[in-house]
Amino acid sequence: MMDANERDCIFCRISRKEAPAEHVYEDETVFVIKDRFPKAPVHLLVIPRKHIARIDVLSSGDDGLIVHLFEVIRIIAATYRLEAGYRIIINSGAEGGQTVSHLHVHMIAGKCLGFREDAVR
Ligand code: AMP
Ligand code: ZN
């Protein structure tokens, strides 16, 4: 049975197609959408369908899922021809800048990214 977190979570709702998003990749366990407020010319979110609130609550049972998540990142990098490079970011918790409590990986590319805090703006 679905718990309240899964029922109301925006990324779970997008996964179930109850909320709109621009999907660029989908399979049984992972999907990829365009970020609604892109910080760079390419700003995608790689999201496991399973509701995992944040990276800290991953368990060893999720090992296969995480390996697959990184496979999808490589597929997307190839599809978008990101040979010049890209950045992946996982924000965790409020001070880490996490605003959606469902694990997701940002893929940001299409401009030169420095390492300053404001470099992706
Ligand atoms: P974070 O701050 O790391 O939790 O990232 C959440 C990201 O989700 C932000 O970059 C938002 O712009 C993005 N976002 C929130 N709601 C939606 C949505 N409905 N569709 C697409 N992206 C979204
Ligand atoms: Zn969720």
Side-chain angles (χ1 to χ4, degrees):
M1 201 175 118
M2 204 188 299
D3 73 16
N5 290 328
E6 288 177 56
R7 195 187 57 223
D8 301 333
C9 165
I10 183 61
F11 289 168
C12 284
R13 296 188 62 234
I14 290 171
S15 175
R16 294 193 298 267
K17 304 275 167 65
E18 291 169 10
E22 224 177 306
H23 292 258
V24 302
Y25 173 93
E26 286 192 79
D27 66 29
E28 248 177 54
T29 55
V30 175
F31 64 102
V32 183
I33 59 172
K34 292 190 177 174
D35 197 292
R36 197 164 59 166
F37 302 106
K39 311 288 190 300
V42 178
H43 188 168
L44 304 171
L45 301 172
V46 184
I47 309 173
R49 291 194 191 279
K50 180 180 175 186
H51 182 85
I52 299 167
R54 56 192 276 182
I55 196 166
D56 312 74
V57 298
L58 280 169
S59 66
S60 54
D62 297 314
D63 286 0
L65 178 59
I66 295 309
V67 169
H68 183 53
L69 203 70
F70 277 79
E71 276 168 3
V72 172
I73 289 169
R74 294 199 301 279
I75 290 168
I76 297 295
T79 306
Y80 276 76
R81 303 189 58 87
L82 302 180
E83 296 92 347
Y86 57 94
R87 174 171 295 171
I88 59 174
I89 298 173
I90 299 175
N91 296 322
S92 187
E95 289 199 7
Q98 185 176 10
T99 58
V100 176
S101 294
H102 179 132
L103 181 66
H104 53 282
V105 181
H106 296 257
M107 275 188 88
I108 296 172
K111 70 182 204 182
C112 197
L113 300 164
F115 202 66
R116 299 191 330 272
E117 199 187 336
D118 63 354
V120 293
R121 295 216 179 101

